[in-house]
Amino acid sequence: MSVRPIYLDCQATTPMDKRVLDAMLPYFTEHFGNPASITHVYGWEAEAAVKRSREILAAAINCAPEEIIFTSGATEANNLAIKGVAEAYFSKGQHIITLQTEHNAVLDPCHYLENLGFEVTFLPVREDGLIDLEALEKAIRPDTILVSIMAANNEIGVLQPLAKIGEICRQHEILFHSDAAQAIGKIPLDVQQTNIDLMSLTAHKIYGPKGIGALYVRRRNPRVKIAAQIHGGGHERGMRSGTLYTPQIVGFAKAVELGLAELASESQRLQQLREQLWQQLSQVEGIHLNGHPTQRLPGNLNISVEGVDGSALLIALQPVVALSSGSACSSTSTAPSHVLTALGRSESLAYASLRFGIGRFTTTQEIDIVAQHAIATIQSLRKATARV
Ligand SMILES: *Cc1c(COP(=O)(O)O)cnc(C)c1O
């Protein structure tokens, strides 16, 4: 087998942990039943596994098991939360507040609702990527029904102050949704402490399988209503029909369980690796850190590089390290990252950016190789430009 590049794109997706796969395997073959089959043991086994998984996920964010609605991932959870609330609270108001730096799975449902006549405020962020809480307060109107602010950004890793946002929303009796796709299993989350009413989750950013996620929907204080977006057999309390995908659900719960069990030691290790990388890169002139230096995911580093062409840089790095500039989900578009431009980065600095996503299987040796190669590449590209 040829040598493959070092994988540093853990904000795009992660390899599945072998322990997660082992937990899933019996549910493909031996325990293959439909959890909705109530007349025989095949159904009961699957139902028991789903129940256990739901309990693990609920404990992970401090909610009740019935408040977990399984979806195909965070994209679907975001769509269900935003469109579902918009439809259910239509008569109360038609104004939504979100951030310019949200994932497209939040921004695009908001744009869709704008076309239907809803009004959406896309709040700018501070230079460090964090929300301006005063701007949030000012944006709130009597007809605001929902605030949607992510927990951790997928490009620059910044962690938004969920508790403060939740407090503001609660004071104004506005529902608070948070896209926590990058946060679950990596930082502590508590929907009670932070007054979150709806929260989107996914498994594949934390060493679980792709194609499974969940939406937390608060059942009391207040009881949140959402309009279903997929209709059918009435699964998931009518909010999301479709046969539950038992193996994926088991894997999702296992991934979250492992993430939380190892959270303290692993965050420390990832932070050290990130420091190691930044210490080397920051020796080079004209390299800028994007996003708040410490209020961010432990494994995320995002930089902009002066004096190089962004795509030339990525192409030159490709044989040694697999990473991206910004979001994988919008990497087919040629526009510069909407997150970096929202921070006030120039178009050329937004283009010439690198997102390092360090993960569970990254080693210190790999970080050194990547740092040295990135520095050499940047210097040689700069020399080549200077010669022209
Ligand atoms: C990955 C990601 C999503 C999309 O999640 P899927 O499960 O892949 O649909 C949404 N929001 C954020 C912040 C993400 O990082």
Side-chain angles (χ1 to χ4, degrees), residues 73-75 78 103 105 150 152 154 179 181-182 202 204-205:
T75 299
N78 286 340
H103 192 276
M150 69 202 319
N154 49 299
D179 175 353
Q182 293 286 347
T202 192
H204 75 97
K205 309 278 171 72

Side-chain angles (χ1 to χ4, degrees), residues 11-12 72-78 102-106 150-155 179-183 200-205 210-213 329 355:
Q11 262 73 68
S72 62
T75 299
E76 190 193 328
N78 286 340
E102 290 290 318
H103 192 276
N104 280 325
V106 165
M150 69 202 319
N153 187 274
N154 49 299
E155 292 190 32
D179 175 353
Q182 293 286 347
S200 302
L201 308 173
T202 192
H204 75 97
K205 309 278 171 72
K210 294 170 185 62
I212 186 72
C329 319
R355 175 182 69 176

Side-chain angles (χ1 to χ4, degrees), residues 74-198:
T75 299
E76 190 193 328
N78 286 340
N79 273 268
L80 178 57
I82 295 167
K83 295 178 191 167
V85 163
E87 213 180 309
Y89 292 84
F90 175 82
S91 58
K92 187 173 174 241
Q94 290 157 43
H95 179 235
I96 293 169
I97 299 171
T98 186
L99 278 189
Q100 287 176 5
T101 52
E102 290 290 318
H103 192 276
N104 280 325
V106 165
L107 296 175
D108 284 357
C110 286
H111 289 135
Y112 169 83
L113 290 171
E114 279 186 312
N115 288 334
L116 294 183
F118 285 83
E119 278 183 75
V120 183
T121 301
F122 297 92
L123 287 177
V125 290
R126 305 185 330 198
E127 216 180 319
D128 60 9
L130 293 177
I131 188 173
D132 176 345
L133 292 168
E134 272 176 41
L136 170 63
E137 287 258 21
K138 280 194 196 127
I140 291 172
R141 315 190 320 205
D143 62 340
T144 308
I145 51 171
L146 180 69
V147 167
S148 180
I149 309 284
M150 69 202 319
N153 187 274
N154 49 299
E155 292 190 32
I156 53 175
V158 298
L159 309 177
Q160 299 295 349
L162 298 180
K164 289 185 183 143
I165 300 165
E167 206 178 292
I168 293 170
C169 292
R170 191 50 64 97
Q171 270 164 17
H172 294 270
E173 293 183 20
I174 297 167
L175 295 179
F176 176 24
H177 165 249
S178 186
D179 175 353
Q182 293 286 347
I184 179 79
K186 296 183 202 161
I187 59 164
L189 290 171
D190 183 326
V191 294
Q192 308 309 337
Q193 242 171 45
T194 49
N195 284 315
I196 289 174
D197 300 305
L198 303 114

